[in-house]
Amino acid sequence: MSHPEQTLQRIIELEVEHRDLDVVIETLIKDPSHDELQLRRLKKRKLQLKDHITLLRMQLTPDVPA
């Protein structure tokens, strides 16, 4: 598997985890007795995933000279 293919595969894995976290966060929010600390940690992880996905996508996009 080439580097771009590996990067694309990793992006897909991270996007799946990101969507899964969405579901977990929404479920927690609906629970009136949810753990606020856990919710904050999940949201932080979701943001980290988004940032990592963005960085990987940037690696796949070639620089365009100005």
Side-chain angles (χ1 to χ4, degrees), residues 9-51:
Q9 182 61 37
R10 183 67 181 140
I11 289 171
I12 291 168
E13 292 168 359
L14 292 173
E15 287 174 336
V16 168
E17 184 179 349
H18 188 268
R19 281 192 302 270
D20 289 348
L21 273 175
D22 249 349
V23 172
V24 171
I25 289 170
E26 287 301 315
T27 303
L28 258 179
I29 289 173
K30 291 176 185 175
D31 179 8
S33 63
H34 68 266
D35 181 354
E36 198 61 39
L37 179 59
Q38 181 184 20
L39 185 60
R40 279 185 291 189
R41 286 180 176 157
L42 291 172
K43 286 181 176 183
K44 183 177 180 178
R45 174 66 181 148
K46 187 176 162 193
L47 285 173
Q48 290 171 334
L49 288 170
K50 182 178 177 185
D51 289 344

